[in-house]
């Protein structure tokens, strides 16, 4: 019985890990009322290090774990500042509302 549980644990761990790797390949879709934002995690990770975006480390990869509508840097400006500032700086990637937010 105990062996069975260890095995089960390993399977769950593997699923979790493959999810983690998968996450870096897939398009990330951030849903909101204003229009969903889709961006390629893979394309971005080719030339940008994880820490630039996940600036507090990867223990909590979701920005919403820390940035809510009540924090100093709120949920929306966390994304807008991070994403748009870099696109402007590099003169690459979308900067206007509808190029990111698709209805
Ligand atoms: C250009 C910015 C950017 C870079 C670079 C980046 N990420 Fe992300 N990552 C994001 C955003 C945005 C999300 C979605 C966060 C959310 O849902 O709040 C995310 C989500 C994730 C998630 C969670 C996936 C999920 O489906 O919940 C993991 C894991 C992750 N990133 C790992 C990494 C790793 C590892 C690297 C470096 C190889 C990396 N990220 C580089 C922006 C980035
Ligand atoms: C573990 C907590 C945590 C996570 C997760 C996190 N942040 Fe932050 N972030 C902070 C804190 C703390 C500050 C400082 C300002 C404040 O207190 O609101 C900050 C500041 C910022 C700032 C303004 C300063 C700067 O560096 O330009 C931006 C932009 C930002 N975060 C974007 C993001 C994005 C995008 C994500 C997700 C990819 C993210 N953050 C995930 C905690 C976090
Ligand atoms: C540190 C710089 C940097 C950051 C941070 C960054 N981007 Fe980008 N982004 C780029 C560059 C450079 C390109 C152009 C890539 C190319 O065409 O080779 C790009 C392209 C894009 C594109 C068009 C290609 C695609 O992925 O479909 C979208 C959409 C995009 N970014 C969304 C975002 C979002 C949303 C965020 C914030 C979560 C973000 N970016 C953060 C640099 C950045
Ligand atoms: C580089 C891509 C990008 C551009 C350009 C951009 N946004 Fe966003 N915006 C995002 C991301 C990413 C989020 C946060 C993730 C989410 O909830 O979809 C967000 C969040 C928002 C939210 C908050 C949604 C919520 O649920 O709290 C609003 C409103 C918004 N944006 C409006 C705008 C407007 C207006 C413009 C043009 C002035 C604009 N955005 C330009 C990427 C972008």
């Amino acid at each position: 019985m105990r062996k069975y549980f260890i095995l089960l644990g390993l399977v769950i761990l593997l699923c979790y890990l493959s999810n983690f790797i998968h996450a870096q390949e897939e398009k990330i879709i951030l849903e909101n009322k204003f229009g969903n934002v889709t961006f390629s995690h893979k394309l971005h990770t080719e030339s940008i290090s994880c820490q630039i975006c996940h600036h507090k480390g990867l223990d909590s990869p979701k920005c919403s774990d820390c940035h809510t509508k009540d924090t100093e840097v709120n949920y929306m400006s966390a994304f807008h500042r991070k994403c748009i500032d870099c696109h402007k700086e590099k003169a690459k990637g979308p900067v206007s509302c509808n190029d990111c937010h698709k209805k």
Side-chain angles (χ1 to χ4, degrees):
M1 203 55 187
R2 203 163 146 200
K3 270 192 191 139
Y4 173 76
F5 278 116
I6 292 172
L7 199 67
L8 191 71
L10 277 176
V11 170
I12 292 170
L13 186 72
L14 275 177
C15 292
Y16 176 79
L17 286 177
S18 75
N19 228 343
F20 185 80
I21 294 160
H22 206 66
Q24 294 169 46
E25 291 166 6
E26 297 270 299
K27 294 249 176 194
I28 289 194
I29 302 174
L30 298 155
E31 296 182 14
N32 74 67
K33 302 196 284 292
F34 191 74
N36 295 350
V37 178
T38 305
F39 89 106
S40 165
H41 209 216
K42 187 163 189 259
L43 180 78
H44 281 84
T45 51
E46 273 164 12
S47 56
I48 304 164
S49 79
C50 314
Q51 271 67 33
I52 301 256
C53 295
H54 300 284
H55 66 125
K56 298 284 178 187
L58 279 156
D59 290 342
S60 41
K62 289 203 178 294
C63 314
S64 55
D65 288 345
C66 300
H67 296 279
T68 68
K69 63 177 169 46
D70 301 319
T71 47
E72 191 186 316
V73 177
N74 71 24
Y75 180 71
M76 183 174 82
S77 50
F79 282 99
H80 282 178
R81 281 168 63 177
K82 186 69 75 185
C83 313
I84 301 172
D85 284 6
C86 178
H87 291 168
K88 282 191 177 148
E89 195 187 301
K90 305 224 167 175
K92 267 188 182 167
V95 291
S96 64
C97 317
N98 296 331
D99 288 338
C100 276
H101 294 279
K102 309 275 186 194
K103 295 276 176 196

